[in-house]
Amino acid sequence: MSGNFAYRRLDKSDAAVLLVDHQSGLCNVVGDFSPDEFKNNVLALADAAKYFELPTILTTSFENGPNGPLVPELKALFPDAPYIARPGQINAWDNEDFVKAVKTTGRRQLVIAGVVTEVCVAFPALSALEEGFEVFVVTDASGTFNTVTRAAAWSRMEAAGAQLMSWFGVACELHRDWRNDVEGLGALFSNHLPAYRNLITSYGAGR
């Protein structure tokens, strides 16, 4: 490892979440996760964004076409969040309203997830990196056709400087210390990880 390495942690005071093109049509092409697993991961990330009170931006691409509307659970979770329905731009960063919404947050760390990984995630991630943002890609809340295309997308983004994380890793790095709120973080994990529910139940029974 390079001697110049600096561990840049996610900071809840400087992070914003970008949920890109989690649309009813596009989600049908996700093949690198099962439908239930993928939906759970996306909602887990969304719940974490809500829990940590992170600015969250929702965007869709060509939703009147085959891509379909935003999945309703996300709109219900963030009824007041900026919602950018892009008329056609494939790269969300090519949409002025989206970029304005991102910059209006004042945050420099961007947590990105979307469908599909090599396009709807990679394109804005690379664009944001070019403009000096720190980018954290949530790998298990982003989906694509298969593991081959996923690996190529991950490699491209990582080579450009993006950090690859899971939603669980994002939540833990934001939280920092269990003593900040055992019950709250435990509930978040329990709602999305059955094995963790068993752990928390055991913890509660022993108190």
Side-chain angles (χ1 to χ4, degrees), residues 72-96:
E73 292 90 345
L74 293 180
K75 186 61 177 173
L77 270 172
F78 303 102
D80 301 317
Y83 177 78
I84 313 300
R86 308 190 315 279
Q89 296 97 340
I90 294 174
N91 182 350
W93 210 264
D94 289 340
N95 182 280
E96 292 182 4

Side-chain angles (χ1 to χ4, degrees), residues 54-79:
L54 302 182
T56 300
I57 297 169
L58 310 173
T59 186
T60 58
S61 173
F62 197 43
E63 64 179 44
N64 294 326
N67 292 348
L70 182 75
V71 295
E73 292 90 345
L74 293 180
K75 186 61 177 173
L77 270 172
F78 303 102

